[in-house]
Amino acid sequence: MTLYSPPQLNAEQRAMLAGEQGRARQMGMRLLMDLAAMANAERLTPISSAHLSGVSPLTGGLGLRLFLARLAEDPGRGVAVPTTLNAAGCDEAQFPAMRIVVPDFQAHHREIIDSYAALGVSTIQSCVPYEWDEVQPTLNGGPAAWAESNAICFANSYCDLRTNRESGLSALACALTGYTPDYGLLEDEARRPNLLVSVMVSLTDPTDFSVLGDWIGKQRRPGWRMPYGPIPAITGLPADLSHEQRKALSAAAANYGCALLHIVTPDQLIDGEYQDHLSFGPAELEQRYQELQPIAPVSLVVLGCPQASAGELREIARHLRGRRVTADPVPPGSPPPLWVFTSATAKAIAEKTGLADIIRASGALLLENTCPEVVPYDQSWVTRILTNSMKAEHYIKSGLNGVPTSVMRLADCIAIATGELLPTEQEPTTPPKSESAAPPSKNRAAHPDDKRISADVAKAAAGPVTGQGLPSQSDYTIVGEAFVTDTPITFLGYVNRETGVIEEPDHPANGQSLAGKIAIFPRGTGSSVAPYVLLELFYRGTAPIAIINTEIDQQMAPACSLEGIPYAHSFEADVIQLVATGDTVALEKRGDHIQLKIIKQSAQDV
């Protein structure tokens, strides 16, 4: 295996690495060197902007707060490029109206915002930086470092900007130093599509596009090899998609790690290594809407995930004009309250144009600086949520809140809030699944009959396999029980941040724990806040004792780099095939060499 040659650093970068510009930039440069090693990047390249995720106490949690407190001890010169901040967990000006009952939530919120501000971050508290005028000059075709999954996908797909799927931690490291490793989606070759999706049904409402994006992500299959996530080439869509349609599509596709998509015509397909061809037709669209419709009383309707644009607010106001809703909890059987989430910049437009007055006059709550997925709802009255966003549905129902969430088009959501439409009392009927539906993935523990290739098993048992580690980590030997899955893991909301148990019903490892294991999986996926979940697990003593990824992963590596969690990647053999859950394995780092060896196979392999 060819050893990695680190980038040649200029004088400024060497000063950062030596700590001459403060601990914050030193931490950032160390992390970038680790990421460069992972990607075999030959150089660090300047970035034009950064966008940071990890803001709400609900998503960032204890891990985020402790990490920011460490930075505050020696912030140095702060960020080196224009840097914006993601949506926060509340609208401070309307905190009482949000009825948040989590102890000290507002104080923790303010602590996080102040910590970022001390680093020079522009605290716009928005998940849609591409809609901000002051961000537009940075969309110049050059490299950037954005976190927040929907913003990454939107910017790569529709804006003149290139960014890898940064995590909150790696984006912060880039912001502090002003550089990013030059690899991946910054390069033309990596931006080629790897998945073909044919749409054979007319989509008009933005929620239709949201359903499509989420459906594409749900088709994940263990045989796919997509180091930078699925990059679909989508045919069959109108050539003149609206801003809201594009936004809904990319935000939902990002739920499962899509950082870039191409909308093309069948005769203009882009050259790429297509690993599958999916078809999305009337049956798939109808099936998803039937599965997502509310079958029980709704206690809250939320709109604006990602935060509603001026165009979305205009459409919401059009539906609410002359109608009445409420913003407060209601008795059983009454129409549910309606909350609308937007950014400060879109709200300012709505105030000037009278749209905000129309929305408030209806009785709805108009919130800014926050987003439906990062709010801790009071579940004494919020027992089922209705939304028009698959991004909101994906995270609200997750372990972040664990609230059952339904999805309908915007007009139907508002009709539910006005009482003009009632949820169905019947279980939705499920049409037969189409042939394009993804086959179930396999997890080694869940499928004891899944036999590995005997030659590979013999090789692994007889001798170690070689991989790569992080240059910043010292030598180690870790021996422990392996946890193995061939399916990416969404840490935010789907890994219990106190116990390390996977809590995702359709994941093959659902119900299994990562705590105290040598965790082997392709990569983290979903939200860019994932590293802070891993940090919290580490601080609580329930993290994996080591992590092995088979694909480049800006989600796991930064937290491992920061706290010294043993991390390895890019082995010479497919370790997911070689190792089974329950095997006792040894992971050893000596200098630049990493080796993995099976010490004892689990009973199911014997």
Side-chain angles (χ1 to χ4, degrees), residues 48-359:
S48 59
S49 66
H51 182 72
L52 308 182
S53 63
V55 186
S56 171
L58 177 69
T59 56
L62 178 65
L64 171 65
R65 291 172 48 227
L66 292 179
F67 171 67
L68 290 177
R70 286 178 58 185
L71 284 187
E73 295 173 359
D74 185 7
R77 301 182 185 179
V79 297
V81 295
T83 304
T84 48
L85 193 62
N86 212 39
C90 65
D91 179 341
E92 285 189 274
Q94 300 188 86
F95 189 79
M98 298 185 72
R99 302 174 182 272
I100 294 173
V101 296
V102 176
D104 302 320
F105 188 88
Q106 190 171 16
H108 291 162
H109 158 85
R110 178 41 51 190
E111 172 190 339
I112 292 168
I113 300 298
D114 289 345
S115 295
Y116 280 119
L119 293 171
V121 176
S122 175
T123 57
I124 65 172
Q125 301 174 62
S126 173
C127 56
V128 289
Y130 45 84
E131 294 181 356
W132 286 71
D133 288 343
E134 57 266 39
V135 177
Q136 297 302 316
T138 71
L139 306 181
N140 57 6
W146 283 21
E148 163 54 40
S149 58
N150 102 82
I152 293 167
C153 191
F154 189 98
N156 274 325
S157 302
Y158 317 119
C159 300
D160 192 13
L161 179 143
R162 294 189 174 201
T163 176
N164 279 308
R165 193 172 66 94
E166 302 290 354
S167 67
L169 270 179
S170 63
L172 178 55
C174 295
L176 289 166
T177 62
Y179 295 92
T180 189
D182 191 6
Y183 77 101
L185 296 177
L186 306 186
E187 302 173 339
D188 290 341
E189 186 63 29
R191 297 174 71 88
R192 296 184 181 277
N194 52 31
L195 183 65
L196 178 59
V197 180
S198 298
V199 178
M200 301 179 294
V201 59
S202 177
L203 307 180
T204 55
D205 191 277
T207 307
D208 298 345
F209 290 84
S210 186
V211 169
L212 169 63
D214 186 80
W215 179 88
I216 292 172
K218 284 182 179 295
Q219 308 312 300
R220 57 189 180 186
R221 301 179 183 180
W224 292 351
R225 291 295 176 262
M226 301 174 174
Y228 306 111
I231 303 177
I234 307 175
T235 67
L237 295 180
D240 55 345
L241 296 186
S242 69
H243 174 79
E244 287 70 32
Q245 290 170 334
R246 293 185 297 172
K247 179 178 173 181
L249 174 61
S250 54
N255 287 345
Y256 296 93
C258 178
L260 167 66
L261 52 84
H262 301 276
I263 299 174
V264 298
T265 60
D267 59 343
Q268 294 178 332
L269 280 181
I270 304 169
D271 289 338
E273 295 185 5
Y274 292 96
Q275 299 184 34
D276 220 327
H277 182 186
L278 308 176
S279 296
F280 185 81
E284 285 76 16
L285 181 64
E286 178 61 23
Q287 176 179 333
R288 287 303 288 139
Y289 272 125
Q290 288 195 26
E291 293 168 346
L292 293 163
Q293 67 178 301
I295 57 173
V298 173
S299 50
L300 177 64
V301 179
V302 298
L303 304 173
C305 185
Q307 290 169 326
S309 65
E312 290 170 273
L313 293 177
R314 186 178 303 109
E315 188 68 7
I316 291 169
R318 183 177 72 83
H319 284 288
L320 285 175
R321 187 186 296 272
R323 303 163 86 180
R324 288 293 302 169
V325 296
T326 184
D328 301 321
V330 295
S334 302
L338 173 63
W339 292 3
V340 179
F341 295 74
T342 191
S343 64
T345 187
K347 184 170 179 287
I349 294 172
E351 296 287 3
K352 291 179 180 178
T353 57
L355 298 176
D357 290 337
I358 295 171
I359 293 171

Side-chain angles (χ1 to χ4, degrees), residues 326-585:
T326 184
D328 301 321
V330 295
S334 302
L338 173 63
W339 292 3
V340 179
F341 295 74
T342 191
S343 64
T345 187
K347 184 170 179 287
I349 294 172
E351 296 287 3
K352 291 179 180 178
T353 57
L355 298 176
D357 290 337
I358 295 171
I359 293 171
R360 284 191 293 259
S362 74
L365 180 62
L366 181 59
L367 299 163
E368 64 180 315
N369 295 337
T370 184
C371 182
E373 67 167 281
V374 298
V375 172
Y377 298 99
D378 179 0
Q379 296 185 34
S380 68
W381 66 274
V382 180
T383 57
R384 177 174 290 274
I385 287 177
L386 175 64
T387 182
N388 65 333
S389 162
M390 291 303 300
K391 179 176 175 64
E393 185 267 351
H394 184 72
Y395 287 108
I396 293 174
K397 74 179 183 184
S398 77
L400 290 176
N401 273 292
V403 176
T405 306
S406 301
V407 175
M408 302 178 79
R409 296 180 175 94
L410 175 64
D412 291 334
C413 287
I414 292 178
I416 290 282
T418 62
E420 297 164 308
L421 184 64
L422 298 177
T424 178
E425 297 181 357
Q426 301 296 321
E427 290 284 347
T429 58
T430 302
K433 290 186 179 293
S434 73
E435 294 181 358
S436 65
S441 177
K442 293 182 179 179
N443 175 262
R444 300 297 167 189
H447 296 265
D449 293 333
D450 179 26
K451 302 301 182 182
R452 297 172 293 174
I453 301 172
S454 58
D456 283 343
V457 175
K459 176 183 177 182
V465 290
T466 302
Q468 298 181 31
L470 299 180
S472 68
Q473 296 190 338
S474 303
D475 292 354
Y476 56 74
T477 298
I478 304 294
V479 177
E481 179 183 339
F483 163 91
V484 185
T485 180
D486 54 17
T487 302
I489 298 174
T490 301
F491 270 68
L492 181 65
Y494 292 97
V495 174
N496 187 300
R497 63 199 314 154
E498 295 185 2
T499 66
V501 173
I502 294 175
E503 298 175 341
E504 184 175 1
D506 61 352
H507 196 284
N510 181 46
Q512 297 182 45
S513 177
L514 302 169
K517 309 287 179 60
I518 295 179
I520 305 174
F521 56 100
R523 58 185 168 84
T525 187
S527 173
S528 56
V529 187
Y532 296 115
V533 178
L534 181 55
L535 284 182
E536 182 164 344
L537 291 171
F538 178 78
Y539 298 147
R540 293 182 182 276
T542 53
I545 57 174
I547 288 179
I548 296 173
N549 287 144
T550 60
E551 301 175 12
I552 294 174
D553 188 9
Q554 295 111 322
Q555 307 296 307
M556 298 297 100
C560 292
S561 173
L562 179 68
E563 294 297 352
I565 302 169
Y567 183 87
H569 62 97
S570 303
F571 280 80
E572 61 184 352
D574 186 350
V575 291
I576 289 177
Q577 292 296 321
L578 295 177
V579 184
T581 291
D583 286 354
T584 300
V585 298

